Amino acid sequence: MPADFNWAIGGEAGDGIDSTGKIFARALSRAGRHVFTSKDFASRIRGGYTAYKVRTSIEQVESTVDRLDVLIALTQRTVDENVDELHEGSVIIYDGERTSMADLEIPDGMVGMDVPLKSLAEEAGGAIMRNIVALGAACEVTEFPIEHLGSSLEKRFSDKGQSIVENNKTAAELGAEYVAENYEAECDDFEYELETTDEDYVLINGDEAIGMGALAAGCRFYSGYPITPATDVMEYLTGRLERYGGHVVQAEDELSAINMALGAARAGARSMTATSGPGIDLMAETFGLVAQSETPLVICDVMRSGPSTGMPTKQEQGDLNMALFGGHGEIPRFVVAPTTISEAFWKTVEAFNLAEKYQTPVYLIADLEMAVTEQTFPPEAFDMDEVEIDRGKIVDEDEIDEWLDDEGRFRAHAATEDGISPRALPGTTDGAHMSTGLEHNELGRRTEDTEIRVEQVQKRQRKVETAKEREDWSPREFGNPDSDNLVVSWGSNEGTIVEAMDLMDEDAPEFRFLSVPYLFPRPDLTEAVEDAEQVAVVECNATGQFADVLEHDTLQRVDRVNKYNGVGFKADELAEEITEVLQ
């Protein structure tokens, strides 16, 4: 029996698929099991296929695989969409009383469990609870203690009143009882039993980790416009940021969002905005103003399939070129891309520190797979005592005199040796100054003087060079460090590749794996590439954008493993593809 168990529920948008999946994922995590989820959903409110998948084990899981052991099918299409992942012995739970499901054909070798979900839900208090009945049925099939599901239901519905909680618990129990009474033999033959442990885990998705990281970093202003898949960052911060004296503002569009964040940052607040590809396009002009005015600001781009509107609810890592090169003129910037959900927390903290230490905009790059995936971590993965805040070269009344010119005016853009100017927050005595998007002198006043132009351009670029020397831009390394094969990737592919290494056949080639969280500045991988006989770059885009960057940096050709159909990589899939490329 495989160490991991794979479960899914599928139906149409509006059927409560997402909330049902979250309830089951939370129940598993509360039972001391590791969880990794994935979503397949359409960009519409109702209609269109949607699914929520959960992979769980008592060991850590970091990816999905092409296998389903239990499927709750609310529609015929759910079975059709997942038939390739079902296997002999897989259980399909469905409601044969529904007209659309009455003639459902169960594939050979699989077990169909016809459970009257709607009727049992109505018996418990309402048809709306049919999915909870199905969860109870799944608990019985897998011998998963239903009290853990009850605990998750209390968490989900406690704000709606105890009667609603009890009705849902009853619905789950009725589903379990029905399966126990009508499918006893099938349950006995089912090879999976969901073992529980005493471990305590945090269940969190990437957007929530970014929001939590912003809170821990001292963010006090967030402005954004709703856009999939970045909206959950704003939803997480709403109601929480206010507890710490901060504000969340839903702007009328992305232009307003970044300009509000810029204004708050100029006022001295740690500020942030988040969007996705179309919003990044709109923010590009203000991004230049942020850099030119030397204002610290974090801009989060949660990537999705593009270009244009593209596929709003599908995976892609297609914004790398925009993050690295977007905007007119030569704009100093930092580009940071967390490689795991827990790293999304820490890299968000780091992004705020980088922004203020170097008074430069920071792109924090995530993607849909990371944003919507929920994964379990031990609480110490988010140890708030380890968070360090560095606000950079802020000067007060005692320090400001050395930064005044002969007429007592503050030199907010002083051309220092390291490129980093002093920063005086509003209200600082003698710190009044102006900044502009026009080229300016040390006082921030516009100029077209050629020598000053060169001085200021070099000063702004010097900040990045200073950061290259002072900060650690190392990649994360896995696998055999002495291997002649090298695999390089960035963003959310890390966990999938790490799991793929474990799934590869014994005779498959070993490889060294470098996961790159810093895209600009980035680590110099020239030596690693030159030492390798074969190099493959794994990423979710069509052209191999990071592969292009790596070839540019190292002057070496690399192989490319690309996927751009809107679905992220899976561990077993990558195990095969990497093996094929390296062989």
Side-chain angles (χ1 to χ4, degrees):
M1 182 181 76
D4 62 311
F5 171 77
N6 296 270
W7 169 97
I9 181 170
E12 293 187 352
D15 282 343
I17 303 300
D18 186 67
S19 59
T20 305
K22 286 183 177 180
I23 289 169
F24 191 53
R26 184 180 293 118
L28 291 165
S29 68
R30 291 189 167 209
R33 295 185 62 88
H34 277 290
V35 169
F36 190 96
T37 75
S38 67
K39 299 181 186 180
D40 185 358
F41 56 108
S43 54
R44 61 184 73 177
I45 297 173
R46 295 199 67 86
Y49 173 71
T50 182
Y52 193 109
K53 299 183 179 181
V54 176
R55 185 177 178 215
T56 180
S57 173
I58 58 173
E59 304 295 334
Q60 187 171 14
V61 283
E62 300 186 77
S63 174
T64 54
V65 293
D66 282 321
R67 192 182 82 249
L68 277 178
D69 307 306
V70 171
L71 174 64
I72 298 174
L74 302 185
T75 62
Q76 173 67 54
R77 183 177 175 182
T78 300
V79 178
D80 298 338
E81 290 280 348
N82 294 281
V83 67
D84 291 339
E85 296 187 16
L86 296 167
H87 57 86
E88 183 174 352
S90 290
V91 170
I92 302 173
I93 299 171
Y94 67 101
D95 188 348
E97 291 185 352
R98 297 188 69 183
T99 303
S100 60
M101 301 294 284
D103 299 323
L104 178 68
E105 294 185 6
I106 303 298
D108 291 341
M110 301 172 197
V111 178
M113 293 188 179
D114 184 352
V115 181
L117 304 178
K118 182 179 178 182
S119 297
L120 292 174
E122 289 174 339
E123 183 180 337
I128 196 172
M129 294 182 289
R130 64 172 183 163
N131 294 2
I132 306 302
V133 175
L135 289 182
C139 288
E140 183 64 28
V141 171
T142 58
E143 298 185 33
F144 181 64
I146 200 167
E147 57 267 24
H148 295 298
L149 177 58
S151 174
S152 181
L153 290 170
E154 287 184 8
K155 173 71 174 178
R156 175 65 179 81
F157 296 113
S158 59
D159 60 339
K160 298 183 182 298
Q162 192 58 34
S163 62
I164 298 296
V165 173
E166 294 304 322
N167 286 348
N168 277 274
K169 286 184 177 181
T170 299
E173 291 165 358
L174 289 174
E177 290 170 4
Y178 187 90
V179 169
E181 293 172 3
N182 294 275
Y183 295 100
E184 181 179 359
E186 289 83 353
C187 289
D188 290 340
D189 292 338
F190 190 68
E191 60 178 349
Y192 294 89
E193 179 181 345
L194 295 183
E195 178 185 349
T196 63
T197 76
D198 294 327
E199 298 295 331
D200 181 28
Y201 296 124
V202 176
L203 182 66
I204 190 172
N205 68 33
D207 275 351
E208 292 168 343
I210 290 169
M212 187 166 67
L215 277 176
C219 176
R220 291 298 176 262
F221 185 84
Y222 177 96
S223 52
Y225 181 76
I227 183 170
T228 302
T231 305
D232 282 351
V233 177
M234 181 162 59
E235 290 189 1
Y236 180 87
L237 289 172
T238 300
R240 291 183 172 90
L241 198 58
E242 289 80 359
R243 298 177 197 168
Y244 299 94
H247 296 280
V248 175
V249 177
Q250 179 175 321
E252 61 266 33
D253 55 33
E254 288 87 354
L255 287 84
S256 296
I258 190 171
N259 281 300
M260 288 180 182
L262 168 59
R266 293 297 305 177
R270 280 198 156 188
S271 302
M272 177 184 184
T273 185
T275 185
S276 192
I280 288 293
D281 294 340
L282 293 171
M283 292 180 177
E285 182 176 4
T286 299
F287 181 77
L289 174 58
V290 174
Q292 185 80 339
S293 61
E294 301 191 77
T295 304
L297 185 64
V298 176
I299 302 107
C300 179
D301 176 16
V302 186
M303 297 177 290
R304 70 189 204 188
S305 293
S308 187
T309 307
M311 297 192 294
T313 61
K314 304 303 176 184
Q315 164 71 356
E316 191 169 282
Q317 295 175 307
D319 296 357
L320 177 58
N321 286 338
M322 181 68 182
L324 292 177
F325 309 115
H328 60 281
E330 296 168 313
I331 305 174
R333 69 192 74 194
F334 297 110
V335 183
V336 180
T339 56
T340 68
I341 291 173
S342 60
E343 276 295 292
F345 170 84
W346 293 107
K347 288 296 181 283
T348 301
V349 174
E350 188 173 354
F352 277 98
N353 286 341
L354 288 171
E356 290 207 308
K357 286 165 69 175
Y358 300 99
Q359 298 166 34
T360 299
V362 178
Y363 272 134
L364 181 69
I365 307 296
D367 55 50
L368 183 138
E369 283 285 306
M370 179 179 292
V372 304
T373 293
E374 292 176 303
Q375 188 178 0
T376 46
F377 297 91
E380 54 268 24
F382 309 100
D383 186 352
M384 298 298 175
D385 292 335
E386 295 297 318
V387 172
E388 296 182 1
I389 294 177
D390 188 338
R391 301 213 62 183
K393 198 182 288 186
I394 295 177
V395 296
D396 56 22
E397 287 85 350
D398 297 329
E399 304 165 306
I400 203 165
D401 285 351
E402 64 179 291
W403 299 107
L404 303 181
D405 70 0
D406 293 339
E407 298 180 30
R409 298 172 298 182
F410 180 59
R411 297 182 296 132
H413 300 278
T416 60
E417 183 177 346
D418 60 8
I420 305 168
S421 303
R423 182 177 171 218
L425 302 183
T428 304
T429 302
D430 293 328
H433 63 277
M434 64 179 296
S435 292
T436 173
L438 296 166
E439 189 55 272
H440 45 256
N441 60 18
E442 289 190 327
L443 300 175
R445 300 184 179 184
R446 62 174 295 181
T447 182
E448 294 181 359
D449 182 281
T450 55
E451 292 185 2
I452 295 177
R453 162 65 175 176
V454 171
E455 178 185 70
Q456 285 294 313
V457 168
Q458 292 179 345
K459 169 240 185 304
R460 291 190 291 269
Q461 296 296 336
R462 203 155 55 241
K463 293 188 294 185
V464 177
E465 296 305 314
T466 297
K468 287 181 180 180
E469 297 173 0
R470 293 180 180 176
E471 307 295 335
D472 182 3
W473 307 103
S474 302
R476 292 157 62 86
E477 185 166 348
F478 305 88
N480 181 358
D482 300 320
S483 174
D484 292 331
N485 300 309
L486 176 65
V487 173
V488 181
S489 192
W490 62 284
S492 65
N493 304 315
E494 179 181 293
T496 308
I497 297 174
V498 170
E499 282 224 356
M501 297 171 80
D502 294 333
L503 295 176
M504 294 173 77
D505 296 334
E506 290 185 4
D507 57 349
E510 288 187 321
F511 61 89
R512 178 188 185 189
F513 170 39
L514 298 180
S515 180
V516 182
Y518 302 107
L519 304 180
F520 190 81
R522 54 185 169 268
D524 183 357
L525 302 183
T526 303
E527 183 177 347
V529 171
E530 289 179 346
D531 288 346
E533 293 183 6
Q534 269 192 297
V535 181
V537 178
V538 178
E539 53 190 320
C540 286
N541 55 57
T543 59
Q545 294 179 27
F546 191 72
D548 288 342
V549 169
L550 191 60
E551 288 183 344
H552 171 274
D553 289 352
T554 65
L555 302 180
Q556 301 284 329
R557 289 294 183 187
V558 300
D559 290 313
R560 300 164 188 237
V561 179
N562 298 341
K563 189 174 185 181
Y564 46 94
N565 63 354
V567 180
F569 288 110
K570 297 182 179 180
D572 44 5
E573 168 194 19
L574 265 185
E576 294 180 6
E577 292 200 31
I578 292 174
T579 298
E580 182 178 344
V581 169
L582 296 183
Q583 286 180 338

